[in-house]
Amino acid sequence: MCGILAVLNAIGDSKTVRQRVVELSRRQRHRGPDWSRVECAEAAVQPPAGYGQAHHFLAHERLAIMDPAAGDQPLYNGDGSVVATVNGEIYNHQALRAKILAQRPGIKFASHSDCEVVPYLYEVYGERLASMLDGFFAVALLDARSGALYAARDPLGVTSLYIGWGRDGSVWLSSELKCLQDECTRFQHFPPGHYYSSATGAFVRYYNPPFYTDFEAVPRRFPSAPFDAAALRQAFEAAVSKRLMSDVPYGVLLSGGLDSSLVAAVASRQMRARSGNGSGGGGGQGGGNGLLSFCIGLTGSPDLQAARRVASFLGTRHHEFTFTLQEGLDALGDVIHHIETFDVTTVRASTPMFLMARKIKALGVKMVLSGEGADEVFGGYLYFHKAPNKEEFHSETVRKLRELFRFDCLRANKATMAWGVEARVPFLDRAFLEVAMGVDPAEKMIDTNSGRIEKYILRKAFDTPEDPYLPAEVLWRQKEQFSDGVGYGWIDGLKARAEQLVSDRTLADAEHRYPDNPPRTKEAYWYRTVFESHFPHQAAADTVPGGPSVACSTPAAAAWDAAWAGREDPSGRAVAGVHEAAKAEAEAEAGTTAARDASSIDRDSSQELAATATTAATTPPSPPHVSLSALLAEAADGDAPLALGRFPPGAAAEPAIGGGGGGCEKPPPLAELESLSPAAGASALALSGETDVGKARGAAEVSGVPTPQPAAKRLRR
Amino acid sequence: MCGILAVLNSTDDSQAMRSRVLALSRRQRHRGPDWSGMHQFGNHFLAHERLAIMDPASGDQPLFNEDRTIVVTVNGEIYNYKELRQQISEKCPGKKFGTNSDCEVISHLYELYGEEVAGMLDGFFAFVVLDTRNNTFYAARDPMGVTCMYIGWGRDGSVWLSSEMKCLKDDCTRFQQFPPGHYYSSKTGEFTRYYNPRHYLDFEAKPQRFPSEPYDPVKLRQAFEASVEKRMMSDVPFGVLLSGGLDSSLVASIAARKIKREGSVWGKLHSFCVGLPGSPDLKAGRAVAEFLGTDHHEFHFTVQEGIDAISEVIYHIETFDVTTIRASTPMFLMSRKIKALGVKMVLSGEGSDEVFGGYLYFHKAPSKEEFHSETVRKLQDLYKYDCLRANKATMAWGVEARVPFLDRGFLDVAMAIDPAEKMIDKSKGRIEKYIVRKAFDTPEDPYLPAEVLWRQKEQFSDGVGYSWIDGLKAHAEGQVSDEMLKSAVHRYPDNTPRTKEAYWYRTIFESHFPQRAAMETVPGGPSVACSTATAALWDAAWAGKEDPSGRAVAGVHDSAYDSAKAEANGEPAAKKAKV
């Protein structure tokens, strides 16, 4: 991974613009701490005399994973007519090299960098380039022969990329929003799976797997391949295996839940197989051949315990990091600056990941494998219990996958790259997706009566008791959510802080202050103000999704249950009832919880009571109300465009709709899954199916007007 | 190394202030990429950005004494921490240490010895102690100022201490470098010099006294070896900067010999060299590396890459001194590559030219007394030049540079030698730095090849490639017009830039650090080829030239003749004579 910044047709004195590009590129230097380079080329077509000069710039901040000694960018083809900056990893680069050599015998590659194939492929195959790459990437290249700019982003948007348009007619591409926001009047996410060519000025989708084209066909078509456990397992193993390509030490993020544990289990087997012939890739400085694994949490958190068990089962070289609530709160301004979103659950889950990435980097590790994507592919969210039929189930997984670049991909990429750590996500492997999304969705449907819990086929594929990948209780137990798993005090602490920072009056005014995608909770309001201080432009706010969602569903899935109807953004508790363990635990707590739930249904305040109760011990005393200047001070650093008090009132554009579910959290712990509960009713008491973790929060969040968001998000990461 | 920021006696103890301090501390996060710590005690804030060299797993800061009444935020390395721990344990049996960090001793020492603590430390450091028992604080900086630190005063009466100026410049109405070798105590509100070596006291005595110890090569060698070896204390991989000149080669040689003798968990010593392709340093560094058998890494940069980095270099090193910027840029670029290889600490050769009078103009020293006095003056100013460069150009990327030539014990030995021994007299074969060369001239078991040991080194900013300085000048030529330079005296009445290059750097500096106090931290004044103002009087030929080029002294140096002739413009040769 790296940071790229490309400017096409910038008008002005080349030295001045160059200096500006150098400065802007520096804003994403965290993505590429190892080296920088800027390439400047005169534009083929110049403006009329007297209107300045047009130049193209390609700037690159490099994180060296492959061939650290020689792979500095930009990269060139043989005669220098194609210049490319690439952020990403190309897993099939060896095969592509062979292909290029077959077409252009005698080519001498300058490095072993996996990315060096890009300019040559473009030379030979032109715009087909993007579809030939297996990996995750953002590419910007200049073709000096035609003067064209070509840009592409990987199929699912694992790698972040933005595109913007400057007032002078320039086109900007950047790995992160922060580099182009001050220069562009319009900007947006670069659509994943697309390429853009300045020759035509159009975005073209090059990624057209069957599950996309079937989804878009009229009438819609659905996959029908029978579930083949071995095929699914092998596809996933292959996805992990190709991601172990690295010339530097690497590790795996291990929260102890199903997804990350599977990644760790497969990686650890492969490592063992490889170290048999003497290459212990992830050995780190010590030179052992155990896989490095990493976990973070508040002291004593569920994740730390779960991961420790899995790590000891797998025999990884495990590292536990703990953080305090205060450290998390202190980092929040940084986190939002880095991840460039105000989505509540994304911010919550990004913070521990951000802190962990710093520690991982401090240990000299530059690359980690991570478990994002499984819940989308296999329908792991609670609301999938309610899928009315397999067709709807499948369609929802497709919709979720297509939105992932705004949520988990964005988090996994930016929270780690904030410290120059690259996260690779095998569940979003192209070939694996074709297998997993080709399975008849009837196999994915949840039916607890027949023992089919969420992600059943994935679990089943790795259920090989004779040579177990994981302990049975890990394989068959539902995982804590990331932002819950790090410790129950985390979310409570965030809410308590929000309570201090945002008054009831301020929140009541939120619809005027933020007419688009208005924050519905104090926590959301807080994040929004911090975001705004870093990214004051309307276009920046527009990159962040909002809109109706049930427990992180897309709007389409929000119509699955009549009980959800009419609620714009019902809390996750509406679906929580489908979840046995949650219900059981809630009943165990009935004495207190239910009563509180019931009584708090109209008030928005019980959450504060609960939150402050649980965090009183850990939060240092602070003045009760701190005013917005405290929020803004978080952002008040030199290179962040400081927007103290600068709020463009009512700077409205079209509301961000249809963005799919917010970033979400995963379901509450499911320790003892017994049977499917009666469908959750609409009554407040029936809604009390919360875990003890969530009870206080849920109680508050379900509370009435306007239906608050965070509990919904709780059900998904 | 790390980054520290302390705000004491603020009138504001709010959440907003905490956030402000965090945001300011972030500006020096490059110094401590590994973790951040923040301790608020009422209206006092201690922030820390950590680079973990010792005890990476548990040494997060701030650090405390046992009952947590004393809080300390430290940037530096304490080489004698084991002895000090021992001393603490003897004085206070049963004392519990919370970490294995070398810096933790400071909190305990302060508890036991109070303000004496700074004088007890052997290493390089900048730290702030907050004593919550009586709400006082104490700050100190190492003897020579190897570690950078600034102090400032806010409008509300708060006192600010920070590793780099960029953190406090916006909040203080006055600020300055924290004087090296001093501590500041809030009890008295005064700076006290705790570092009072013989060569300082003699220098200040009236009448001035001079050292007279006979030159003992073995003693000098052993002192330097001890200095290098104690700097190899590290829990993470480290290396050595190797330009192939005398000073860096000696450091590399001693380190490599120790590793060869005792082994290392990280295998062979890493050595690093930077240059434009084909530069003299790259060749020389390679030759020495081959001789020593180090794991050598060469890094190349282009003039354009260097120019692209200039603004950032100035932002990092916080000076507009021309030669410092020229030499800092390659070092800055190299540090990034070093860090990319996973190395966090390097040994470096700064200080030798000051201790032994290695600059060209020392040829003209009228007497051994003047020679010696000049070395003392140079040493006392070093924190504004090479220490600042070595510290900030590397810490820009979280790489810590350690400088064995500025070791306290070594300085005591080297500065006590009769300066007659240091005087340059080519007719007797005594070239610059003769006594240090002689000390390591052991042909039976050579530290270095004879041609390296006895050859004068290229200057750093020239050694990286001759076109580097020319490239900078050419670029400055495009940035600054003749008109602008002519009116420089009005634009910058203080410390006026005299060349286009200097003017260019000044404008960049000003864009990052517009405050007058910031400008005042940068030295100026008359100088001959980097001499102090006093030494500029040594030769009548220099008189009347406010800022003569090094060519005025170049004549004393055989090989410099050629390069001086080659350079139509006298300026580079001037700088050639100094880092």
Side-chain angles (χ1 to χ4, degrees):
Chain A
M1 278 282 171
C2 309
I4 63 175
L5 173 63
V7 193
L8 184 76
N9 283 318
I11 311 286
D13 168 59
S14 78
K15 274 185 186 158
T16 312
V17 182
R18 182 190 182 96
Q19 194 54 43
R20 181 68 180 149
V21 172
V22 168
E23 274 170 38
L24 293 171
S25 182
R26 199 178 299 152
R27 294 186 187 175
Q28 59 186 359
R29 173 145 314 153
H30 48 272
R31 296 182 71 85
D34 295 347
W35 200 243
S36 321
R37 196 168 281 163
V38 178
E39 191 64 34
C40 169
E42 204 168 310
V45 182
Q46 287 293 332
Y51 287 84
Q53 277 205 305
H55 289 87
H56 309 316
F57 294 89
L58 292 182
H60 189 262
E61 306 283 340
R62 179 168 190 229
L63 178 70
I65 307 263
M66 297 297 289
D67 198 3
D72 287 345
Q73 296 198 14
L75 299 159
Y76 305 87
N77 66 340
D79 61 7
S81 60
V82 179
V83 195
T85 54
V86 187
N87 165 19
E89 302 295 332
I90 313 300
Y91 301 124
N92 61 339
H93 70 110
Q94 304 278 21
L96 292 172
R97 275 180 189 236
K99 215 166 173 173
I100 293 165
L101 283 170
Q103 293 284 330
R104 295 273 197 279
I107 275 181
K108 290 229 163 42
F109 290 99
S111 74
H112 300 287
S113 163
D114 55 309
C115 296
E116 201 187 341
V117 294
V118 169
Y120 288 101
L121 284 176
Y122 185 82
E123 178 193 326
V124 178
Y125 299 97
E127 298 184 355
R128 286 168 57 203
L129 154 68
S131 61
M132 303 172 73
L133 305 175
D134 179 19
F136 58 113
F137 52 83
V139 170
L141 67 78
L142 286 172
D143 183 348
R145 300 167 304 182
S146 66
L149 170 89
Y150 173 88
R153 187 175 180 192
D154 66 66
L156 274 301
V158 171
T159 314
S160 59
L161 185 66
Y162 294 83
I163 184 167
W165 291 269
R167 209 172 267 114
D168 61 355
S170 51
V171 180
W172 294 64
L173 288 146
S174 173
S175 297
E176 298 192 1
L177 184 64
K178 45 184 78 65
C179 302
L180 52 70
Q181 62 161 356
D182 293 339
E183 304 297 322
C184 294
T185 49
R186 252 202 82 221
F187 49 88
Q188 61 181 50
H189 282 285
F190 191 100
H194 286 64
Y195 68 77
Y196 168 89
S197 165
S198 68
T200 58
F203 291 98
V204 177
R205 195 176 81 194
Y206 67 85
Y207 179 61
N208 297 298
F211 59 96
Y212 275 22
T213 48
D214 286 352
F215 179 78
E216 290 153 2
V218 182
R220 194 174 282 178
R221 295 187 298 265
F222 297 92
S224 57
F227 167 49
D228 176 344
L232 189 65
R233 183 172 69 239
Q234 283 155 11
F236 187 65
E237 289 189 308
V240 172
S241 173
K242 70 173 81 155
R243 279 167 180 75
L244 299 182
M245 164 184 109
S246 169
D247 291 342
V248 296
Y250 60 86
V252 54
L253 305 187
L254 178 60
S255 70
L258 175 68
D259 307 337
S260 67
S261 298
L262 278 179
V263 175
V266 173
S268 145
R269 284 180 177 222
Q270 308 221 353
M271 185 96 79
R272 219 172 299 139
R274 291 180 191 199
S275 66
N277 42 38
S279 76
Q285 299 103 329
N289 47 19
L291 179 67
L292 296 168
S293 59
F294 307 102
C295 185
I296 191 164
L298 300 175
T299 307
S301 77
D303 278 359
L304 291 176
Q305 291 165 28
R308 204 178 304 141
R309 272 200 305 275
V310 175
S312 81
F313 177 84
L314 297 175
T316 61
R317 290 169 55 209
H318 190 58
H319 298 261
E320 282 184 10
F321 307 117
T322 53
F323 70 106
T324 63
L325 178 58
Q326 185 62 57
E327 284 173 323
L329 294 173
D330 281 346
L332 208 99
D334 266 358
V335 169
I336 292 175
H337 177 67
H338 276 290
I339 63 172
E340 306 179 324
T341 184
F342 50 82
D343 179 72
V344 170
T345 49
T346 304
V347 173
R348 287 177 179 174
S350 292
T351 307
M353 197 170 190
F354 171 89
L355 295 171
M356 171 163 59
R358 189 174 188 182
K359 289 283 193 182
I360 289 172
K361 181 69 175 201
L363 290 171
V365 172
K366 287 182 178 181
M367 190 271 277
V368 291
L369 302 183
S370 190
E372 281 77 13
D375 287 325
E376 284 71 19
V377 173
F378 297 103
Y381 298 104
L382 280 192
Y383 71 91
F384 275 95
H385 282 255
K386 288 285 191 179
N389 53 48
K390 68 174 194 173
E391 287 78 13
E392 268 301 306
F393 190 107
H394 176 75
S395 301
E396 178 70 2
T397 58
V398 176
R399 286 187 294 256
K400 291 290 290 176
L401 274 173
R402 299 220 284 202
E403 286 297 319
L404 206 52
F405 72 99
R406 301 175 194 271
F407 300 104
D408 291 16
C409 287
L410 178 148
R411 166 172 61 75
N413 186 281
K414 292 183 189 163
T416 52
M417 288 303 285
W419 301 103
V421 174
E422 168 178 309
R424 298 184 180 175
V425 286
F427 281 109
L428 297 179
D429 180 76
R430 223 171 138 156
F432 174 72
L433 284 179
E434 304 237 342
V435 173
M437 294 301 288
V439 175
D440 183 346
E443 300 282 0
K444 296 182 182 173
M445 292 284 282
I446 301 160
D447 179 359
T448 39
N449 288 328
S450 53
R452 293 202 164 222
I453 62 171
E454 304 89 349
K455 300 190 273 193
Y456 171 81
I457 60 171
L458 177 63
R459 299 173 199 267
K460 192 69 192 161
F462 285 91
D463 195 5
T464 53
E466 67 291 350
D467 177 19
Y469 281 79
L470 290 173
E473 69 274 16
V474 175
L475 189 61
W476 290 100
R477 189 200 53 206
Q478 196 163 17
K479 163 181 175 293
E480 300 274 347
Q481 276 311 320
F482 193 46
S483 47
D484 266 348
V486 297
Y488 302 132
W490 173 231
I491 292 176
D492 294 338
L494 288 169
K495 291 184 173 175
R497 170 54 59 85
E499 197 57 44
Q500 294 169 351
L501 293 169
V502 181
S503 71
D504 293 346
R505 256 194 82 157
T506 306
L507 183 62
D509 212 28
E511 304 229 4
H512 301 295
R513 178 77 191 74
Y514 300 106
D516 299 310
N517 207 350
R520 296 173 200 277
T521 64
K522 293 185 173 179
E523 188 187 3
Y525 196 104
W526 172 30
Y527 299 161
R528 184 67 173 268
T529 55
V530 176
F531 178 86
E532 193 181 40
S533 71
H534 294 298
F535 310 105
H537 303 281
Q538 179 66 31
D542 289 344
T543 64
V544 181
S549 167
V550 174
C552 291
S553 75
T554 65
W560 283 354
D561 191 318
W564 302 338
R567 301 177 168 204
E568 280 180 352
D569 186 41
S571 99
R573 300 178 71 214
V575 292
V578 301
H579 199 284
E580 266 321 291
K583 183 127 191 292
E585 287 187 44
E587 276 162 7
E589 300 262 350
T592 52
T593 318
R596 193 188 297 145
D597 281 351
S599 67
S600 66
I601 200 74
D602 300 322
R603 289 189 305 111
D604 209 335
S605 56
S606 70
Q607 105 189 47
E608 303 120 56
L609 300 176
T612 38
T614 48
T615 55
T618 44
T619 316
S622 308
H625 254 280
V626 182
S627 88
L628 282 175
S629 65
L631 312 181
L632 298 171
E634 301 256 1
D637 197 1
D639 63 352
L642 188 48
L644 279 171
R646 188 148 64 91
F647 293 91
E654 64 271 53
I657 42 159
C664 303
E665 289 161 32
K666 294 198 178 158
L670 177 56
E672 313 87 17
L673 183 75
E674 283 149 21
S675 65
L676 183 66
S677 79
S683 88
L685 279 174
L687 285 174
S688 68
E690 277 285 340
T691 66
D692 60 339
V693 187
K695 64 187 188 264
R697 287 193 295 282
E701 283 157 359
V702 81
S703 57
V705 271
T707 17
Q709 216 165 353
K713 310 304 190 149
R714 259 197 85 247
L715 295 177
R716 215 284 181 221
R717 106 185 32 115
Chain B
M1 276 283 171
C2 308
I4 61 173
L5 172 64
V7 185
L8 301 139
N9 292 325
S10 169
T11 50
D12 186 353
D13 62 356
S14 71
Q15 188 60 43
M17 184 60 187
R18 182 188 178 96
S19 293
R20 175 73 184 152
V21 176
L22 284 168
L24 292 171
S25 181
R26 202 177 299 151
R27 294 185 187 177
Q28 60 186 359
R29 179 156 300 161
H30 49 270
R31 297 183 69 86
D34 294 346
W35 200 243
S36 308
M38 170 74 161
H39 183 80
Q40 181 181 357
F41 180 80
N43 58 345
H44 306 296
F45 301 85
L46 298 184
H48 188 262
E49 305 285 341
R50 178 167 192 230
L51 179 70
I53 306 262
M54 297 297 290
D55 194 13
S58 79
D60 288 345
Q61 294 202 15
L63 296 160
F64 299 87
N65 65 339
E66 201 176 354
D67 65 9
R68 297 176 77 84
T69 51
I70 294 170
V71 197
V72 55
T73 180
V74 192
N75 166 21
E77 303 294 333
I78 312 301
Y79 302 123
N80 61 339
Y81 79 104
K82 284 187 179 150
E83 293 83 345
L84 292 171
R85 272 183 184 239
Q86 185 68 29
Q87 194 175 332
I88 292 164
S89 296
E90 276 165 17
K91 184 149 178 164
C92 240
K95 193 82 170 162
K96 283 204 183 57
F97 292 91
T99 72
N100 295 316
S101 164
D102 55 307
C103 295
E104 192 189 334
V105 291
I106 294 173
S107 56
H108 302 285
L109 288 174
Y110 186 82
E111 182 184 348
L112 298 175
Y113 300 96
E115 297 180 355
E116 285 172 50
V117 54
M120 302 170 74
L121 305 175
D122 180 17
F124 60 113
F125 50 81
F127 66 85
V128 180
V129 171
L130 175 64
D131 187 344
T132 64
R133 298 171 303 188
N134 53 17
N135 221 15
T136 59
F137 66 92
Y138 170 93
R141 187 176 179 190
D142 67 65
M144 304 305 299
V146 171
T147 314
C148 55
M149 177 144 86
Y150 293 81
I151 183 168
W153 292 268
R155 208 171 268 114
D156 64 350
S158 53
V159 180
W160 294 58
L161 292 139
S162 174
S163 297
E164 299 191 2
M165 188 161 76
K166 46 184 77 64
C167 302
L168 52 71
K169 69 180 173 80
D170 294 333
D171 294 73
C172 292
T173 49
R174 249 202 85 220
F175 52 89
Q176 63 181 49
Q177 285 226 32
F178 193 101
H182 286 65
Y183 65 77
Y184 176 89
S185 165
S186 72
K187 285 179 197 154
T188 59
E190 276 174 14
F191 293 99
T192 307
R193 194 175 80 193
Y194 68 85
Y195 178 60
N196 295 301
R198 187 69 190 277
H199 57 277
Y200 277 21
L201 298 177
D202 285 353
F203 179 75
E204 290 154 3
K206 293 218 161 78
Q208 190 175 338
R209 293 187 300 264
F210 296 93
S212 57
E213 282 193 24
Y215 168 50
D216 177 347
V218 177
K219 188 174 170 192
L220 187 66
R221 183 170 72 236
Q222 285 168 350
F224 189 60
E225 284 191 309
S227 165
V228 172
E229 291 181 7
K230 78 168 80 147
R231 278 165 181 75
M232 294 170 74
M233 160 183 112
S234 168
D235 291 342
V236 296
F238 66 93
V240 54
L241 303 187
L242 178 59
S243 70
L246 175 68
D247 306 333
S248 67
S249 299
L250 278 179
V251 174
S253 173
I254 294 167
R257 286 163 75 108
K258 177 172 158 79
I259 285 177
K260 226 168 272 170
R261 204 165 59 231
E262 299 169 10
S264 156
V265 289
W266 299 294
K268 286 201 287 188
L269 181 68
H270 289 279
S271 56
F272 308 102
C273 187
V274 69
L276 301 175
S279 75
D281 278 0
L282 289 175
K283 271 183 243 163
R286 202 179 307 142
V288 175
E290 264 166 38
F291 179 84
L292 299 176
T294 61
D295 189 349
H296 191 60
H297 306 267
E298 283 186 8
F299 306 120
H300 300 180
F301 71 105
T302 62
V303 172
Q304 184 62 60
E305 283 175 324
I307 288 172
D308 280 346
I310 286 283
S311 170
E312 202 178 357
V313 167
I314 293 173
Y315 176 72
H316 274 290
I317 63 173
E318 306 179 324
T319 184
F320 50 81
D321 180 72
V322 172
T323 48
T324 304
I325 291 169
R326 289 176 178 174
S328 292
T329 307
M331 196 170 192
F332 171 88
L333 295 172
M334 171 165 57
S335 300
R336 188 174 186 182
K337 290 283 195 183
I338 291 171
K339 182 67 175 203
L341 291 172
V343 171
K344 287 182 177 181
M345 188 271 276
V346 291
L347 304 178
S348 190
E350 282 78 12
S352 166
D353 287 327
E354 285 70 18
V355 174
F356 297 106
Y359 295 103
L360 283 191
Y361 70 90
F362 275 95
H363 281 253
K364 290 283 190 183
S367 64
K368 69 172 195 174
E369 287 79 10
E370 266 302 305
F371 191 107
H372 177 75
S373 300
E374 179 70 2
T375 58
V376 175
R377 286 188 293 259
K378 290 290 289 176
L379 278 174
Q380 290 188 332
D381 268 352
L382 203 53
Y383 72 101
K384 299 178 189 167
Y385 299 102
D386 292 15
C387 287
L388 176 147
R389 166 172 60 76
N391 186 283
K392 291 183 189 165
T394 51
M395 288 302 285
W397 300 103
V399 174
E400 168 177 310
R402 299 184 179 175
V403 286
F405 280 108
L406 297 180
D407 180 78
R408 226 174 133 151
F410 173 71
L411 284 178
D412 285 343
V413 173
M415 293 303 288
I417 296 169
D418 183 344
E421 300 282 357
K422 296 182 182 174
M423 292 283 281
I424 300 160
D425 182 352
K426 279 189 291 186
S427 62
K428 293 187 194 144
R430 292 205 163 221
I431 61 172
E432 304 89 349
K433 301 190 274 194
Y434 171 82
I435 60 172
V436 67
R437 298 174 199 265
K438 190 71 194 161
F440 287 91
D441 195 5
T442 53
E444 67 290 351
D445 177 18
Y447 282 79
L448 291 173
E451 67 275 17
V452 175
L453 190 62
W454 290 101
R455 189 198 54 205
Q456 193 164 20
K457 161 180 177 295
E458 301 277 344
Q459 278 309 326
F460 193 47
S461 48
D462 267 350
V464 296
Y466 300 127
S467 50
W468 170 232
I469 291 175
D470 294 341
L472 288 171
K473 290 186 171 176
H475 190 81
E477 201 57 48
Q479 299 284 313
V480 182
S481 68
D482 293 347
E483 285 300 304
M484 287 161 76
L485 186 61
K486 232 177 273 170
S487 59
V489 67
H490 302 297
R491 176 80 192 73
Y492 300 108
D494 299 305
N495 206 348
T496 309
R498 295 170 204 277
T499 63
K500 292 187 174 179
E501 189 187 1
Y503 193 107
W504 173 38
Y505 298 156
R506 184 67 172 270
T507 56
I508 297 172
F509 179 85
E510 194 181 39
S511 71
H512 294 304
F513 308 103
Q515 295 82 358
R516 184 178 172 81
M519 182 274 288
E520 287 172 349
T521 64
V522 180
S527 164
V528 174
C530 293
S531 74
T532 65
T534 313
L537 302 173
W538 282 353
D539 192 320
W542 300 338
K545 304 187 170 190
E546 279 182 350
D547 186 38
S549 93
R551 299 177 73 206
V553 291
V556 300
H557 194 281
D558 290 339
S559 64
Y561 270 126
D562 305 331
S563 55
K565 278 178 201 152
E567 303 253 14
N569 184 340
E571 252 265 303
K575 304 305 183 172
K576 257 194 103 250
K578 174 43 192 105
V579 177

